[in-house]
Amino acid sequence: MVGLKPPEVPPTAAMKFVSAGMAGCIADLCTFPLDTAKVRLQIQGEAKIPQAISSMEYRGVLGTLSTMVRTEGPCSLYRGLVAGLQRQMSFASIRIGLYDSVKQLYTTKGAENTGLAARLLAGCTTGAVAVACAQPTDVVKVRFQASGALLDGARRYSSTVDAYRTIAREEGVRGLWRGTLPNIARNAIINCGELVTYDLLKDALLQTRLMGGEDGMVGHGRVPSPLQEHPAPSSSLPLDNVPCHFVAAFGAGFCATVVASPVDVVKTRYMNASPRQYRNALSCLLALLMQDGLVGLYKGFIPSFLRLGSWNVVMFVSYEQLQRAAVLARPVLA
């Protein structure tokens, strides 16, 4: 896509919405085993239900993945993928696809540039709305990913549809929204650490021309960013291409992992818990701190970073290219 002629018209909100959902699914397909490894490491050693959890110990990312393949088969790495893709189609579409539109709502009319406060508010808003809509899919995904830790290979649910029905029947509709508050907190933090960081890093790379500029351009490399509100003439644009997107996405993934890992651990444990294991998310946090200390808040950090970092790279690169493909295809479809 980098070699294509830059589109004259920026992508619409609908294009961004659909592109974000598709990019999220592509990223999930590529990184789902790492997410599963992260979940297993986060729930390892969880207290109060020793009778349900195997004595098997997971060690590191590769150790967890190899143990799962050896004891549960290769398909275990993608257990819960259906719910994961359902989650991305609703979740990523809202929190990423609507970010630019919401950012404009928080930007003062007539302002030349969007301020940091507007970006942070937009990230928190889209993250919270996305969780409210997609929480059931996240609950089911986590339950499936954690199910391999049960003794004797027991399975809680026979299928994704059965999981939704069983949770609603046994735990009530509220069970499908278990962990909503910590998940809102997590995704507000992740959105700020991820989208806002990507936004700022990309702007910095383009403005400082660290990835190349006028002197370093080669023919078709000049492609205006779909996120730019008022793109400059193509002759004066720095390189807005895959390397630029890669660097910005990698930095965004690391920042998001650092700030969101503690909330992510609590969210995973609380969503995977039995109905009366914890009174609320706070009691889950306290139990974790009493058992593992502060270091427990960063359980599974390496797989979290490997997953979130690689997920960000695949997602943002795909997102940018899908937007451009949609813009270029619009005249043909019209």
Side-chain angles (χ1 to χ4, degrees), residues 46 59 61 128 148 157 186 199 202 215 254 286 288 303 322:
E46 193 167 11
R59 295 182 180 277
V61 183
Y157 316 107
R186 170 186 179 269
D199 214 4
K202 185 179 174 184
D215 297 333
F254 180 78
L286 293 176
L288 173 63
L322 286 170

Side-chain angles (χ1 to χ4, degrees), residues 284-295:
C284 179
L285 170 62
L286 293 176
L288 173 63
L289 290 174
M290 290 179 65
Q291 182 180 351
D292 299 318
L294 291 175
V295 71

Side-chain angles (χ1 to χ4, degrees), residues 123-124 184-194 255-256 258-261 263:
C124 291
I184 286 177
R186 170 186 179 269
N187 281 287
I189 293 172
I190 281 187
N191 251 23
C192 292
E194 190 176 88
C255 181
V258 170
V259 298
S261 187
V263 184

